[in-house]
Amino acid sequence: MRIMDGKALATKMQADLAQKTAQLKAEHGVRPGLLVILVGEDSASQVYVRNKERSALAAGFKSQVVRLPETVTEAELLRKIAAYNQDPAWHGILVQLPLPKHINEEKVLLAISPEKDVDGFHPTNMGKLWSGHPVMIPSTPAGIMELLKAYEVELVGKRALVIGRSNIVGKPMAQLLMDAHATVTIGHSRTQDLKALARQADILVVAIGQAKFVTRDFVKEGAVVIDVGMNRDDNGKLCGDVDFESVSEVASLITPVPGGVGPMTITMLMEQTYQAALRSIR
Ligand code: GUN
């Protein structure tokens, strides 16, 4: 078994990105700008947003986090997004999810200009991805594809099972694997005999949001296992959706939590912001 070191790959990609960013500034006078909107006090979101800002600044981007109170109205949020859409300083705009219940998430995601939607959540960008012409790709699946590439995982003709069907991870992940010529199945919490299905997979991507859900008996000998989960176990320790200890005995490659998919997600968000800045000068 080999560990897929997302932290190491992310560190290398971030260094490359800082260099590309400096070059973009020197040659075109353009500094990539990432604007993050955070509504409310969700503690996980605060950590994610802080990490995004830190990463953006390390890459040499302009970066701002707009913190709005839990009580902000939907109309006010939409007005702010409309203003940032018009501001050429921002190449990437993202609204951290989840949003408070009184705000319609779909409306908010629709309001972000597709050219600045670095999360790739706007229906236009989702549609482009599904029709095989991706522009903005959700960061987590994009980061997983980079990891698979870096570790030279053969995908052509292989069986891939994605466990989880969210718009953020499961659906775009399936599409990217299909584009890479894998034979893809999406499983989820209602799938019958998920274990038997999983045991057929050469590549297993797990994003079901349940601590240590995938155990050794889900995994074929030699499979590649990607763990998107971020949970706390009974002892309060950070863990994924995969039971790393038992699964690492059968997998050929596996991502750890932390240090696997997570660092790649942030890195890809920065990469997409850089790409959006690059497109803005063309
Ligand atoms: N909340 C959890 N993951 C994400 C993400 O990738 N983007 C945004 N905007 N919110 C999230």
Side-chain angles (χ1 to χ4, degrees), residues 3 7 9 33 37 43 51 70 76 87-88 93 97 106-107 113 135 141 145 155 172 231 254 259:
I3 286 183
K7 189 157 181 240
L9 181 58
I37 301 175
S43 58
N51 289 338
E70 184 89 21
E76 178 59 18
D87 185 343
I93 299 173
L97 304 177
E106 195 190 350
K107 253 194 206 170
S113 163
V135 181
M145 293 308 287
L155 297 174
N231 316 287
I254 184 168

XYZ file of all heavy atoms in Angstrom, residues 3 7 9 33 37 43 51 70 76 87-88 93 97 106-107 113 135 141 145 155 172 231 254 259:
181
model
N 0.612 5.575 0.275
C -0.255 6.697 0.635
C -0.190 7.752 -0.459
O 0.893 8.051 -0.974
C 0.160 7.264 2.011
C -0.297 6.292 3.103
C -0.407 8.655 2.224
C -0.015 6.745 4.496
N -1.034 16.497 0.645
C -0.393 17.689 1.211
C 0.869 18.030 0.432
O 1.104 19.187 0.074
C -0.071 17.424 2.689
C 0.390 18.640 3.409
C 0.176 18.541 4.910
C 0.642 19.820 5.570
N 1.705 19.584 6.547
N 1.649 17.131 -2.683
C 1.320 17.566 -4.047
C 0.773 18.995 -4.029
O 1.125 19.824 -4.874
C 0.297 16.599 -4.679
C -0.124 16.920 -6.107
C 1.072 16.950 -7.060
C -1.163 15.901 -6.609
N -7.665 37.846 -8.123
C -8.406 38.262 -6.929
C -9.478 37.247 -6.569
O -10.259 36.827 -7.418
N -17.381 35.063 0.397
C -18.458 35.591 1.243
C -18.855 34.519 2.252
O -19.149 33.379 1.877
C -19.677 36.001 0.389
C -19.262 37.072 -0.638
C -20.810 36.520 1.278
C -20.354 37.466 -1.614
N -18.875 27.017 12.468
C -17.465 26.931 12.873
C -16.611 26.239 11.810
O -15.481 26.649 11.549
C -17.330 26.235 14.227
O -17.895 24.952 14.165
N -8.650 29.194 5.773
C -7.640 28.483 4.989
C -7.604 28.960 3.541
O -6.537 29.050 2.934
C -7.903 26.968 5.029
C -7.584 26.393 6.403
O -6.818 26.986 7.168
N -8.176 25.253 6.718
N -25.503 36.365 10.312
C -26.505 35.311 10.119
C -27.858 35.883 9.655
O -28.605 35.250 8.924
C -26.675 34.594 11.478
C -27.598 33.397 11.497
C -26.868 32.109 11.180
O -25.639 32.058 11.326
O -27.555 31.143 10.773
N -30.164 41.481 0.340
C -28.908 42.194 0.597
C -27.719 41.372 0.066
O -26.800 41.904 -0.561
C -28.774 42.449 2.107
C -27.490 43.134 2.548
C -27.257 44.510 1.915
O -28.232 45.097 1.395
O -26.106 44.973 1.910
N -17.092 44.165 -10.370
C -15.791 44.705 -9.971
C -14.659 43.873 -10.600
O -14.469 42.704 -10.251
C -15.698 44.671 -8.436
C -14.424 45.315 -7.925
O -13.471 45.504 -8.720
O -14.372 45.629 -6.720
N -13.881 44.480 -11.523
C -12.855 43.707 -12.233
C -11.709 43.217 -11.336
O -10.908 42.380 -11.763
C -12.334 44.693 -13.292
C -12.733 46.040 -12.815
C -13.959 45.879 -11.977
N -15.295 34.558 -7.276
C -16.210 34.890 -6.181
C -16.812 33.585 -5.686
O -17.286 32.776 -6.495
C -17.361 35.804 -6.658
C -16.805 37.129 -7.199
C -18.364 36.060 -5.530
C -17.865 38.005 -7.852
N -20.772 27.636 1.672
C -21.987 26.903 2.026
C -21.722 26.117 3.312
O -20.574 25.773 3.581
C -22.368 25.949 0.884
C -22.559 26.609 -0.482
C -22.851 25.541 -1.534
C -23.663 27.649 -0.461
N -29.971 28.114 -4.059
C -29.990 28.043 -5.525
C -29.966 29.442 -6.143
O -29.248 29.699 -7.111
C -31.238 27.274 -5.976
C -31.159 26.829 -7.418
C -32.489 26.279 -7.914
O -33.400 26.083 -7.081
O -32.604 26.083 -9.132
N -30.769 30.336 -5.557
C -30.817 31.718 -6.052
C -29.461 32.389 -5.932
O -29.035 33.127 -6.824
C -31.823 32.516 -5.201
C -33.123 32.842 -5.885
C -33.839 33.901 -5.063
C -35.331 33.829 -5.290
N -36.065 34.669 -4.350
N -21.720 35.459 -11.216
C -21.404 35.417 -12.634
C -20.657 34.118 -12.963
O -19.658 33.796 -12.313
C -20.551 36.634 -12.975
O -19.924 36.426 -14.207
N -15.202 24.355 -17.831
C -14.453 25.605 -17.655
C -14.103 25.743 -16.171
O -12.946 25.698 -15.791
C -15.256 26.828 -18.147
C -14.421 28.100 -17.968
C -15.648 26.663 -19.605
N -13.452 17.415 -6.701
C -13.194 16.430 -7.760
C -12.017 16.806 -8.655
O -11.264 15.922 -9.092
C -14.504 16.382 -8.561
C -15.383 17.417 -8.017
C -14.837 17.889 -6.724
N -8.724 14.373 -9.342
C -8.182 14.017 -10.663
C -6.682 14.309 -10.728
O -5.919 13.531 -11.313
C -8.924 14.776 -11.776
C -10.387 14.384 -11.958
S -10.693 12.609 -12.148
C -10.083 12.326 -13.801
N -6.953 4.833 -15.555
C -8.413 4.966 -15.444
C -9.145 4.367 -16.640
O -10.295 3.946 -16.527
C -8.794 6.448 -15.318
C -8.258 7.173 -14.073
C -8.574 8.675 -14.153
C -8.858 6.595 -12.798
N -20.028 15.777 -10.079
C -18.906 16.185 -10.940
C -17.764 15.151 -10.963
O -17.098 14.987 -11.989
C -18.441 17.529 -10.343
C -19.058 17.621 -8.998
C -20.305 16.785 -9.037
N -14.596 13.953 9.199
C -15.487 13.726 10.349
C -14.662 13.651 11.626
O -13.436 13.634 11.594
C -16.230 12.379 10.192
C -16.773 12.156 8.801
O -17.738 12.775 8.399
N -16.147 11.266 8.031
N -4.050 4.842 -1.229
C -5.134 5.376 -0.392
C -4.786 6.793 0.064
O -3.616 7.103 0.298
C -5.400 4.436 0.820
C -6.586 4.903 1.662
C -4.148 4.281 1.692
C -7.066 3.868 2.689
N -4.691 15.395 5.152
C -3.479 15.348 4.336
C -3.653 14.669 2.988
O -2.675 14.414 2.284
